[in-house]
Amino acid sequence: MDDREREIEREIERDIIDNIGGLISEERDLRNRSDRESGLTADERIRLRTVEVRLDQCWDLLRQRRALSEFGEDPSAAKVRPAAEVEGYQG
């Protein structure tokens, strides 16, 4: 992998990490609202669940990319796995 390809891979990883940060912030906001007396609306509960699943997918993608890179393989081979697959992990 040349310098340009490594830089592209670092940018992709930064984008994933930024996405995770945004999702964590949104999840925190929704959870804070759910703790209030009024709780969450049905749409907000659906959104919270969507955010939780997307976070699991992003973390999984990041782990895949890092593992591939660590073992000298192409991190771009990592793919977002289906929600049912990443939600079934026991950590």
Side-chain angles (χ1 to χ4, degrees):
M1 186 178 293
D2 67 23
D3 288 342
R4 178 67 185 135
E5 291 169 323
R6 276 191 284 280
E7 181 56 33
I8 290 169
E9 291 305 321
R10 282 192 294 270
E11 287 176 28
I12 291 169
E13 188 167 310
R14 279 192 297 268
D15 287 346
I16 294 168
I17 291 168
D18 288 347
N19 193 15
I20 288 170
L23 289 166
I24 288 171
S25 179
E26 184 176 1
E27 180 186 38
R28 186 178 302 125
D29 180 55
L30 287 166
R31 289 190 184 286
N32 286 340
R33 279 194 263 156
S34 74
D35 290 339
R36 295 187 196 132
E37 285 183 34
S38 61
L40 297 177
T41 66
D43 286 342
E44 288 171 326
R45 284 191 300 275
I46 291 168
R47 179 61 190 163
L48 177 57
R49 182 66 188 135
T50 300
V51 167
E52 291 168 339
V53 170
R54 186 69 185 124
L55 263 170
D56 288 343
Q57 289 174 312
C58 287
W59 281 118
D60 176 67
L61 179 61
L62 188 59
R63 283 190 296 271
Q64 286 181 63
R65 291 180 58 80
R66 288 178 174 175
L68 288 166
S69 183
E70 180 180 340
F71 291 100
E73 299 196 29
D74 183 3
S76 67
K79 302 293 180 221
V80 175
R81 296 185 218 207
E85 188 173 340
V86 299
E87 290 294 286
Y89 289 164
Q90 300 294 313

